[in-house]
Amino acid sequence: MKALLLAAAALIAAPASAEMVAITNARLVIGDGSAPIDGGTVIMNNGRIVAAGRMVPPASASRIIDAEGKWVTPGLVAGFTRMGLVEVDGVRQTNDASAGKSPFNAALDIAPAVNPRTSAITLNRAEGITRAVVAPESGGSIFAGQGAVIDLGADMDAVTRPRAFQFVEFGEDGAVQAGGSRPAVYAAFRNAMVEARDYAAGRRADDALLTRPDAAALVPVVNGQMPLLAHVERASDILQILSLKREFPALKLVLVGATEAWTVAAEVKAAGVPVLASALADLPASFESLAATQSNIGRLEKAGVATVGIGMINDDEARQARLIKQYAGNLVALGKVPGAAGLDWGAAFATISSKPAEALGMGGEIGSLRPGRRADVVIWDGDPLELSTAASIVWIDGVEQPLRTRQDKLRDRYRHAVEGALPKAYDR
């Protein structure tokens, strides 16, 4: 009897297994920038995409779903967030985004701090977000630490790729951390890269500024084995960072924010550097974003910058990643505004699916419905870039996910509450 109870408990605790599913008769979006395909089919098995396209037979799927013409897409990839690190901003104990009093900076690894039960994860999963780039926030240095790519599945194993990148602050925020000026930022950065290179070579000077763990953490950055996500807004700062890539050619730079990037788009294209841009920053939030425009992403794309995704730095990035759908939809609308630069529907959707994945070097894993990718799939009740549309079914790694949120439970609890069933605060 005891063995039977233990087996039953294990079944309750374990996540649902991935099954072979075929979704037919869909308005299918691959997520790579191509146009939607009517009458499409997608097949997933063992947590991976097997096939997707028109005229794909459903094979021997154990479950066949007729989408009845509804939109079917890859799960959305939130390009820059702090999801899973923050529950309540004002309650310090629930906020693990930064560590200003720590002796370590670049060595900080956010993966162990990600809480899969953070309410923002449930909420954004219900909105079709299946993966998120999660970055630490700088505290006592220009280097904030090592970020992760997570999934939003309803289990306790959230981290898809730990130590996926290093995050660094340049511009105004970097100047504050470095000692008060932009020259201090560049001095700190160059010194860190040299110390990391020396550390990798087995050398370490007596006057080294980095702790050993920080130096070790920056070795894969200077060697080009780990992407470096750099927050930068002003055009002149962007050009300076691109020049750092000439000094340290192995760097795998990714620009984050990049509000004025459109003014130096030719240089960004020539450097081959991906961008995770703020999509709708159309007013100067600071002196480093005076050239803010909603056409930033559209102009970068038209200039030939190959990889531009949407990120949400400084835009309630701990909770509201779901807004990327609205932002991508606005990029489509901008294409119809005289004088503005937007994107066609397929390219706009790619900014919240395959492009963020490619920026992190994970385009072969997530962000599209190409064969071999992780089976993150969403069926929608309408155009996913329309505000009124909701996700009907969400799979992550081929496992169907619960979509009920705390807001749903509160609605149901009080919508038809009867006398006596309410908390004491409601007593009359």
Side-chain angles (χ1 to χ4, degrees), residues 79-81 133-135 142-145 147 164-170 221 226-232 252-256 276 359-360:
F80 187 94
T81 76
V133 177
V134 182
I142 62 171
F143 293 102
F165 59 91
Q166 177 70 225
F167 181 62
V168 62
E169 285 282 0
F170 282 89
V221 174
M226 176 186 286
L228 178 67
L229 270 59
H231 178 210
V232 59
K252 295 173 68 175
L253 277 173
V254 179
L255 305 181
V256 176
L276 295 173
L360 271 292

Side-chain angles (χ1 to χ4, degrees), residues 275-407:
V275 181
L276 295 173
S278 301
L280 298 184
D282 62 344
L283 292 173
S286 65
F287 282 103
E288 62 181 359
S289 59
L290 296 177
T293 170
Q294 294 185 48
S295 294
N296 185 28
I297 290 179
R299 290 173 181 171
L300 287 170
E301 196 260 356
K302 285 178 172 53
V305 178
T307 306
V308 185
I310 291 178
M312 289 184 60
I313 190 167
N314 298 331
D315 188 12
D316 203 355
E317 66 271 28
R319 281 168 291 269
Q320 299 291 357
R322 64 195 182 96
L323 297 180
I324 59 175
K325 296 180 297 177
Q326 175 184 343
Y327 294 170
N330 279 40
L331 293 177
V332 178
L334 278 175
K336 303 172 183 176
V337 177
L343 301 177
D344 63 43
W345 197 98
F349 190 85
T351 65
I352 56 175
S353 53
S354 59
K355 294 301 182 181
E358 291 169 8
L360 271 292
M362 296 183 67
E365 273 287 297
I366 58 175
S368 74
L369 297 182
R370 292 296 181 197
R373 306 311 191 264
R374 289 174 180 264
D376 298 349
V377 183
V378 182
I379 299 179
W380 306 86
D381 64 8
D383 181 341
L385 302 190
E386 292 287 347
L387 281 175
S388 57
T389 295
S392 302
I393 308 178
V394 175
W395 287 266
I396 296 178
D397 285 328
V399 178
E400 186 174 340
Q401 300 293 319
L403 302 182
R404 187 170 168 79
T405 67
R406 182 170 181 269
Q407 287 86 335

Side-chain angles (χ1 to χ4, degrees), residues 9 58 85 105 113 150 165 185 191 198 201 208 213 236 244 251 347 380 423 425:
L85 298 180
N105 299 289
I150 69 168
F165 59 91
V185 175
N191 175 75
D198 289 348
S236 62
L244 289 175
L251 286 181
W380 306 86

